[in-house]
């Protein structure tokens, strides 16, 4: 009796082991499917092209070689490139010393398209420039901001860049468009930063006579997300202003901007600096889309109201459908009675 019982135990154990193995195989397959799905979804998000409207009023802060501005003008704002204002902190001469002919070529191309190019514009003091303060913008874009102070201590460096972003947010917020307003964009290719007050009626010519109401404006800040840039905590900085909220965080894909070449604040040196955007591609850059807090609240309310209206419409449709169903059998019964009467006759 002993051996048969032992044989049964072995068979039972083998059966259990086969079940466990089968379960592990299925689990591994499921994990691979989930990983592939996550990878596909991430790829879809990464491949989501930036959304620019032909009527966007765009203010670019801290341009280096102006290749980003040119990419926007050439590929997203072909119909209305004059609605772009591209600025940098450097003077024209310093800019060309840093970035050479590539910057000069890009600026000439932009000016030929009617893009406003401004030098010596401090992104933390936008209200001091007469050609900026007269307008409202649907997108204010600051790519890879950096204090450029050469601070070696990481904590001090982080604080310096956080201060830069805080000051930029305070400076840019008043120039965000408000939904429904009709502010016309002025253009002018002034290379001089006028710090003095002036008659508000003076300034550049109107770039467009469009009276189309503007949407709520957005601030776009793109940074690397590797250390120490991730310590800047952009989301918290925007929130602590009390006036702004982060609407979305999106991967930044430089291939969506043909011709764009990232450059450091200190300039570009052949053989030392990296080309083909290699430096930012390996750092997983992200764009923080930031809006006014009240605009975010209004958008939430509009979405909420839209959902309520949709639910009401579905309920209305369901009620109409129910009434039709109730009417249909009664009519059908009447028809059947008529048929019976005819048959009896």
């Amino acid at each position: 009796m002993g051996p048969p019982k032992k044989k049964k135990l072995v068979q039972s154990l083998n059966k259990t082991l086969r079940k466990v193995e089968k379960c592990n195989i299925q689990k591994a397959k499921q994990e691979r499917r989930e990983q592939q799905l996550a990878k596909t979804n991430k790829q879809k998000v990464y491949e989501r092209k930036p959304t620019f409207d032909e009527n966007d009023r765009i203010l670019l802060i801290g341009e280096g070689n102006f290749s980003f501005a040119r990419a926007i003008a050439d590929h997203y704002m072909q119909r209305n490139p004059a609605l772009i204002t591209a600025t940098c902190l450097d003077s024209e001469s310093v800019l060309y010393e840093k970035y050479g002919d590539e910057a000069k070529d890009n600026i000439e191309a932009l000016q030929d398209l009617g893009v406003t190019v401004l030098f010596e514009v401090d992104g933390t003091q936008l209200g001091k420039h007469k050609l900026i303060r007269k307008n409202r913008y649907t997108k204010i874009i600051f790519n890879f901001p950096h204090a450029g102070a050469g601070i070696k201590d990481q904590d001090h460096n982080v604080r310096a860049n956080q201060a830069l972003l805080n000051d930029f947010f305070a400076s840019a917020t008043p120039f965000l468009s408000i939904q429904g307003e009709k502010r016309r964009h002025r253009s002018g290719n002034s290379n001089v930063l006028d710090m003095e007050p002036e008659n508000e009626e003076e300034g550049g010519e109107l770039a467009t006579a469009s009276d189309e109401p503007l949407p709520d404006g957005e601030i776009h800040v793109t940074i690397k997300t590797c250390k120490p840039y991730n310590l800047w905590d952009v989301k918290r900085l925007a929130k602590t202003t009390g006036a702004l909220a982060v609407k979305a965080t999106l991967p930044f894909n430089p291939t969506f901007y043909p011709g764009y070449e990232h450059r450091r604040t200190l300039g570009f040196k052949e053989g030392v600096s990296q080309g083909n955007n290699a430096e930012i591609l390996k750092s997983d850059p992200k764009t923080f889309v930031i809006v006014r807090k009240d605009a975010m609240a209004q958008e939430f309310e509009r979405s909420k109201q839209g959902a309520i209206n949709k639910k009401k419409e579905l309920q209305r449709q369901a009620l109409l459908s129910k009434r039709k169903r109730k009417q249909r059998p009664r009519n059908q019964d009447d028809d059947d009675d008529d048929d019976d009467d005819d048959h009896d006759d």
Side-chain angles (χ1 to χ4, degrees), residues 1 21 93 115 181 206 329 338:
M1 294 297 292
E21 185 179 4
S93 59
V115 173
E181 72 175 350
L206 290 174
D338 290 341

Side-chain angles (χ1 to χ4, degrees), residues 187-225:
S187 68
N189 285 313
S190 169
N191 295 341
V192 181
L193 177 59
D194 189 344
M195 307 293 283
E196 299 297 327
E198 76 295 333
N199 186 336
E200 289 296 328
E201 294 302 316
E202 297 175 359
E205 297 177 356
L206 290 174
T208 177
S210 172
D211 282 331
E212 286 292 320
L214 302 178
D216 284 312
E218 299 175 346
I219 294 173
H220 291 195
V221 174
T222 300
I223 67 166
K224 304 171 186 176
T225 57

